[in-house]
Amino acid sequence: MTDDRMDRGDARPRLDRIVEDLAPHGLFPRGVVVFDESDARPALADGRPAASVVLVGAIGGSFWAAFAAWRQTAAGGGGDPLDTWSKAVITPVAGQHGATVFFPSDPPYQPFQRWAMRAEGVQASPLGILMHPQYGLWHSYRGALAFPEVIEAQAAEVEPHPCDACRTHPCLSSCPVGAITERGFAVQTCRSHLVTPAGQAGCMVDGCAARNACPVGKAYRYSADQLRFHMAALKL
Ligand code: B12
Ligand code: SF4
Ligand code: SF4
């Protein structure tokens, strides 16, 4: 047990404490995956297989204000600032709760989307991004806390997948270069468009037209600043 857990009298890691520690950063637990014997389980820092992971993520632009403030500080520069910030704020929370931390952009990639499907019952949209019944396409994962013990959590309420009820599929007809089809996302077709004047004036400023076209979770759409930040990262 870590000192912090002993100081707070916690014998086991508790989800409500994790909620409290993530909140100042605009981050939330996004469900728990409890592994069974048949799962490929990520290895903890001490080499043991994890018994469970708590996904840590954002809902809409929930972390943007905290991240933007951090970028104004001396620590906030460098390449991949969002990954650097995520590590700076989530690693101490992992330490406080005795967890091994994983990040979505660190190879070998951990199966964040597969974990999310199990943890919250979300399913893939035609874009490949997971569709949340409430937040639509406007949510993401910033880390995962892996534990040697099972973390107690209420089972997620699985709601119907909005894409199943979507008759017109505007996401599939909105990309100006047809990079998103039922067969998947053609990354190179997308990137080749983003460097053209039309791409620079369109998706690079307003965000992915296909993602914007989805009617679900519009209230959670990212701010103009955040959309541009993510598009700049996608263009690289
Ligand atoms: C490499 C990568 C990319 C690459 C290539 C993506 C691609 N489509 O080929 C690039 C750089 C292009 C990219 C772009 C984007 N990405 Co990306 N990307 C990743 C990353 C780091 C690894 C993906 C991977 O290979 N995982 C390894 C496999 C083993 O994991 P897995 O969970 O088992 O993967 C399963 C699912 O991905 C699923 N799946 C994937 N696509 C589809 C499509 C369909 C139709 C179905 C049914 C299933 C499915 O099948 C996989 C096998 O089980 C993940 C983070 C991560 N660790 O997963 C983010 C991640 C998938 N990306 C994410 C996002 C948001 C984006 C962007 C929208 C970013 C932006 N600009 O705003 C774009 C556009 C993506 C798009 N339209 O597909 C988010 C998705 C969040 C969500 N709501 O689901 C992730 C989870 C990162 C995060 N921090 O949250 N990405
Ligand atoms: S437009 Fe329709 S099919 Fe496309 S992601 Fe949104 S709900 Fe799903
Ligand atoms: S960013 Fe633009 S070009 Fe790329 S997939 Fe989205 S709509 Fe298509």
Side-chain angles (χ1 to χ4, degrees):
M1 198 195 309
T2 63
D3 287 343
D4 192 75
R5 264 163 66 182
M6 283 196 290
D7 289 348
R8 300 207 273 193
D10 298 342
R12 295 165 62 85
R14 279 175 39 187
L15 204 52
D16 57 341
R17 300 276 195 205
I18 297 173
V19 171
E20 280 172 21
D21 291 339
L22 291 172
H25 313 298
L27 295 172
F28 302 91
R30 293 288 313 278
V32 179
V33 181
V34 176
F35 297 114
D36 60 39
E37 291 306 318
S38 63
D39 287 317
R41 297 191 273 169
L44 299 169
D46 64 9
R48 284 182 294 166
S52 61
V53 292
V54 175
L55 287 171
V56 174
I59 296 171
S62 59
F63 68 80
W64 191 249
F67 171 61
W70 171 86
R71 286 190 89 187
Q72 304 302 318
T73 68
D80 299 326
L82 187 53
D83 290 339
T84 307
W85 173 80
S86 302
K87 287 176 185 177
V89 300
I90 300 173
T91 306
V93 177
Q96 282 157 18
H97 294 273
T100 297
V101 63
F102 295 100
F103 295 98
S105 307
D106 281 356
Y109 296 136
Q110 297 295 332
F112 271 78
Q113 288 188 294
R114 215 179 314 163
W115 288 345
M117 287 163 144
R118 270 175 74 170
E120 282 193 323
V122 288
Q123 295 183 45
S125 69
L127 287 82
I129 310 171
L130 297 175
M131 160 60 68
H132 188 282
Q134 194 181 345
Y135 321 135
L137 303 172
W138 306 104
H139 64 107
S140 63
Y141 303 95
R142 300 283 8 125
L145 308 179
F147 293 92
E149 55 272 268
V150 169
I151 303 295
E152 305 292 339
Q154 260 191 324
E157 229 172 86
V158 179
E159 294 178 48
H161 180 41
C163 299
D164 288 343
C166 179
R167 293 284 157 255
T168 50
H169 292 66
C171 58
L172 290 175
S173 52
S174 306
C175 171
V177 288
I180 293 169
T181 67
E182 273 160 9
R183 291 182 306 284
F185 173 47
V187 180
Q188 268 329 314
T189 307
C190 166
R191 282 188 167 145
S192 303
H193 173 70
L194 296 179
V195 295
T196 65
Q200 291 290 306
C203 299
M204 289 302 292
V205 178
D206 302 326
C208 171
R211 200 176 186 183
N212 287 337
C214 176
V216 184
K218 284 240 182 238
Y220 295 88
R221 185 169 175 255
Y222 301 157
S223 66
D225 277 2
Q226 186 173 356
L227 284 172
R228 282 175 210 157
F229 174 87
H230 291 306
M231 289 311 299
L234 177 56
K235 190 178 128 232
L236 291 178

